Amino acid sequence: MKVNRREAAALLIAGTLATRQRASADGGSKTFLHGVASGDPVADSVVLWTRIEPEDGAAAAPFTWQVASTPDFVDIVAEGRGETTAERDFTVKAVPRSLAPGRQYFFRFEARGEFSPVGRTRTLPRGKTPRLGIALASCSNYAFGYFNAYRAIAEDPAIDWVLHTGDYIYEYGALGWGAETARRLGRVHEPIREIVSLADYRERHAQYKRDPDSQAMHAAHPLLCCWDDHESTNNPWVGGAQNHQPSEGPWEERRDAAIQAYFEWMPIRDADSPAARRDFWRTYRFGDLATLITLETRHTARAEQIGYTEAARTIETVVDAERFKAEVIGAPGRRMLSDGMERDLRRGLRESVESGQPWRLLGNASPMARMLVPDLSSVLKPDSDGASLRPDLAWKAKFNMPFYTDTWDGYPWARERLYDLCRAAGAEDLVVLTGDSHSFWANHLRDERGRAMGVELGTAGITSPGDFVESGYERETAAALDRAFEAGLDEVRWTDNLYQGYVRISLRAERADVDYVAVETVLEPTPATRVLRSERLERRGSTVTYAD
């Protein structure tokens, strides 16, 4: 792919950002320790973000900002000034207006006589849009290793935008999930306790934003995002969360603290109340090519997850299992999306269809395709302890239960409601972009009557390990489980849980090219990658599917 001089300069900026930050940490500037970021664009503006490290005793910090058409800032097209305070943890957002649509820009901040690193951003296009490049990212757990995938995304010339579908931070303490790896790599979470208060969430976001590879990605590409669970705590629903205990205070206070810190530390447009912040979904229109709608599935409508503890004691037959799936997991009214989310989704899809755009994308936090655990007898191997499958997975396979009930499989009524909404809007050609599972996926999507609804592309974690690998299976067994899921599930075309990385999607009017990009390791800092698999999407009639 040909890269012009401006793009080359921007890539050089992104590639040298980590060096600048390390120099700063070693005695240089102490003003901009958390880099710069941009995101949440529209056609004539974009959110620019940084944080100013406060001086001792300072109640406020003034700053200026600049946007230019070139990285040398000879041609400044917008500038302004402002002041940040402790009330927002000294984070900074600037929202320049009247920018040109579909343009690349460069930006920087100034405070205390020092300039921030330079960032590269862009506005949404209008009209003819020949191509769109998206990196799909998810599950960036600081404790589990280096953010090498972020570095690779920063240096990938095919990427225009980064879609992060959640688990941008993790809430666990230093003794929680990933603790052994974190100690070995020197990536122990801060604060060391599980985060609960506003101060805790701010400190955790600050740690993630100090990471040089994260800073490189944010400086190189604007961010589009939705959240999943770990931005607050594991498996939340509207009335609580699996990882929230009464001793940790009222759930609503913890939830609102987590969301406030997220809005402070992410390059997204501010909202004027806690309730408005919870309504965090967006519609992004990319000229005549595509519409991307991000979903909010955690804090505005989600019903409580169904657990298996009681079911494992009472289900004895296949008939019992089918009744449980139909009457308990599949009970009518178990929602994922709020009325407001559904209303905006319907409007965005209908406008996309009526305008003739070829692509409709959903930014989705957790897997949507049906993943009822199939027969895994082919993976059973005799060993000193008997069967190689852990008991919970063997039980799910025996009764064809959902792999996880926190995904859309745990809300089949809500999934059918979503499909009905999309069909009514004329959108049976979805491309659902998904995170959460720490595995790569190429899935088909079908409703309960078997009608095609499009495809799902799922990304592995930036660092979080695949379920089978993390559960202690040898890599050979973990790979065999992947093959068993492919063979036993109609909606799974391909999957891989062995690697971390990201998915690269290149959209053109007539096709979409998809690369599943794996990093070689997360246990040492290196941006080395390889493409595990490539797919091509094409339209067939009213839907989208994989090219043979």
Side-chain angles (χ1 to χ4, degrees), residues 38 41 46 102-105 120-124 159-161 222:
S38 69
V46 62
R103 286 282 303 275
Q104 176 177 273
Y105 292 100
R120 178 180 63 174
T121 192
R122 62 179 67 237
T123 51
L124 293 184
I159 299 305
D160 303 312
W161 314 87

Side-chain angles (χ1 to χ4, degrees), residues 39-53:
D40 214 354
V42 294
D44 62 355
S45 76
V46 62
V47 177
L48 312 178
W49 180 95
T50 192
R51 182 178 185 268
I52 299 171
E53 189 70 13

Side-chain angles (χ1 to χ4, degrees), residues 282-505:
R282 299 287 190 268
T283 299
Y284 299 107
R285 186 178 178 91
F286 298 91
D288 65 352
L289 185 61
T291 287
L292 165 66
I293 302 171
T294 58
L295 305 181
E296 198 296 301
T297 60
R298 285 292 172 186
H299 300 299
T300 54
R302 180 189 281 258
E304 186 173 7
Q305 296 86 347
I306 300 298
Y308 283 141
T309 303
E310 182 63 25
R313 289 196 293 264
T314 59
I315 292 177
E316 298 180 353
T317 68
V318 171
V319 173
D320 293 338
E322 293 304 310
R323 183 181 301 114
F324 176 79
K325 285 187 283 187
E327 297 179 2
V328 179
I329 295 178
R334 301 193 63 249
R335 301 191 69 171
M336 286 276 274
L337 305 180
S338 69
D339 290 340
M341 171 81 261
E342 290 182 343
R343 183 169 54 252
D344 287 350
L345 175 61
R346 185 182 300 108
R347 181 187 303 115
L349 291 175
R350 183 180 295 116
E351 290 176 353
S352 175
V353 171
E354 291 176 351
S355 69
Q357 287 180 325
W359 299 103
R360 278 153 285 286
L361 316 176
L362 297 186
N364 171 55
S366 62
M368 188 172 290
R370 286 175 176 79
M371 297 181 190
L372 305 183
V373 179
D375 178 10
L376 298 176
S377 58
S378 63
V379 186
L380 294 174
K381 298 186 301 182
D383 58 29
S384 59
D385 299 320
S388 63
L389 293 183
R390 68 191 188 202
D392 66 313
L393 187 58
W395 180 83
K396 293 174 187 176
K398 178 180 180 179
F399 293 114
N400 200 213
M401 288 291 185
F403 193 18
Y404 288 113
T405 57
D406 186 58
T407 70
W408 287 86
D409 265 344
Y411 301 81
W413 180 87
R415 181 169 53 202
E416 288 306 307
R417 182 180 173 94
L418 170 65
Y419 288 163
D420 288 345
L421 180 157
C422 295
R423 187 176 295 105
E428 300 170 32
D429 52 0
L430 303 174
V431 179
V432 178
L433 306 178
T434 295
D436 181 57
S437 71
H438 312 166
S439 295
F440 289 118
W441 299 93
N443 296 331
H444 300 279
L445 295 177
R446 301 185 181 97
D447 69 9
E448 62 184 2
R449 295 171 58 182
R451 294 176 294 184
M453 292 301 302
V455 302
E456 180 176 36
L457 311 176
T459 187
I462 295 295
T463 56
S464 297
D467 183 78
F468 300 140
V469 172
E470 194 274 331
S471 297
Y473 294 117
E474 296 180 356
R475 290 180 73 84
E476 180 182 355
T477 302
L481 287 167
D482 284 340
R483 304 292 79 77
F485 269 62
E486 293 170 12
L489 297 177
D490 291 340
E491 295 193 15
V492 176
R493 174 181 172 92
W494 171 81
T495 184
D496 181 279
N497 88 112
L498 300 180
Y499 295 92
Q500 288 76 50
Y502 67 100
V503 179
R504 178 172 55 219
I505 305 108

